Amino acid sequence: MKRSRVEFTKPMKKTHTILIPSMLDFHFPLLKYAFLSGGYKCDVIGVNEYSRSQMINAGWEYSNNDVCFPCNLIIGQFICALKSGKYDTAKPALLLPQTGGGCRACNYIMLLRKALLKAGLQNVPVVSLNVSGVEKHSGFSITPKMVLTACAAIYYSDLLLYLYNELSPYELK
């Protein structure tokens, strides 16, 4: 039995908030501005919003325990955010990078959709962020302005991370 995926459509661009998992603490909070520059509503799920054990338990509850730990953690972040009451469950969309290669990370989206179905949230669209055309959505496209903003965000995030790594060994508290 083949399940159909929920597509992110053009009208959803104005009504839905795209939730982005916090995969890199310094980078993703700045990368969200690339999506804002493209006219999307978005929010990065803060790592500190939910306890690590909450995210891990939600990931294990709604996904296969045999998949890699980062996948469980990302699924747990999304499930915790959607069940927290912070977001209207009729208006979120989830964004997940997808490589399109042979890596198991290419399957995260399928595993996330399966977890959403198990959690009763199967109507939430999952947007694949990829440049290889693995999955397309009529309401989501990457513009040149978004690419330039993302490049600047990555550059400045790298600088902030480098500065943090240089200074943190000298901090007393």
Side-chain angles (χ1 to χ4, degrees):
M1 178 176 152
K2 187 177 178 181
R3 289 186 206 112
S4 62
R5 66 180 177 94
V6 179
E7 185 174 348
F8 187 83
T9 60
K10 288 182 183 182
M12 289 180 179
K13 184 175 180 177
K14 294 179 181 173
T15 60
H16 284 55
T17 300
I18 298 175
L19 301 181
I20 304 169
S22 183
M23 298 166 96
L24 296 168
D25 294 344
F26 284 88
H27 294 73
F28 277 58
L30 290 180
L31 276 172
K32 87 174 188 179
Y33 292 101
F35 298 99
L36 293 172
S37 74
Y40 298 97
K41 296 179 188 178
C42 67
D43 194 16
V44 176
I45 302 169
V47 178
N48 299 326
E49 288 184 53
Y50 314 102
S51 72
R52 179 171 275 161
S53 63
Q54 278 180 303
M55 291 187 291
I56 292 168
N57 289 336
W60 283 340
E61 181 179 350
Y62 294 103
S63 70
N64 185 339
N65 293 347
D66 292 335
V67 298
C68 65
F69 184 70
C71 181
N72 279 325
L73 201 56
I74 290 167
I75 288 172
Q77 278 184 33
F78 281 133
I79 298 292
C80 283
L82 292 171
K83 291 193 172 259
S84 69
K86 181 178 177 181
Y87 304 100
D88 177 6
T89 54
K91 302 276 185 202
L94 309 179
L95 181 94
L96 197 58
Q98 190 175 21
T99 59
C103 174
R104 65 182 172 221
C106 194
N107 294 318
Y108 281 16
I109 287 191
M110 184 271 308
L111 293 168
L112 177 58
R113 287 189 179 121
K114 195 173 178 182
L116 290 171
L117 179 68
K118 190 174 179 182
L121 299 164
Q122 62 271 11
N123 293 325
V124 175
V126 179
V127 178
S128 169
L129 179 63
N130 70 79
V131 292
S132 59
V134 174
E135 218 179 77
K136 295 180 181 180
H137 293 266
S138 63
F140 184 79
S141 60
I142 300 170
T143 64
K145 184 176 181 181
M146 289 172 66
V147 172
L148 289 174
T149 307
C151 288
I154 291 168
Y155 177 77
Y156 287 114
S157 299
D158 281 347
L159 287 175
L160 289 172
L161 182 60
Y162 179 76
L163 182 63
Y164 174 80
N165 287 336
E166 287 296 314
L167 295 176
S168 62
Y170 303 105
E171 291 179 352
L172 295 176
K173 293 182 182 179

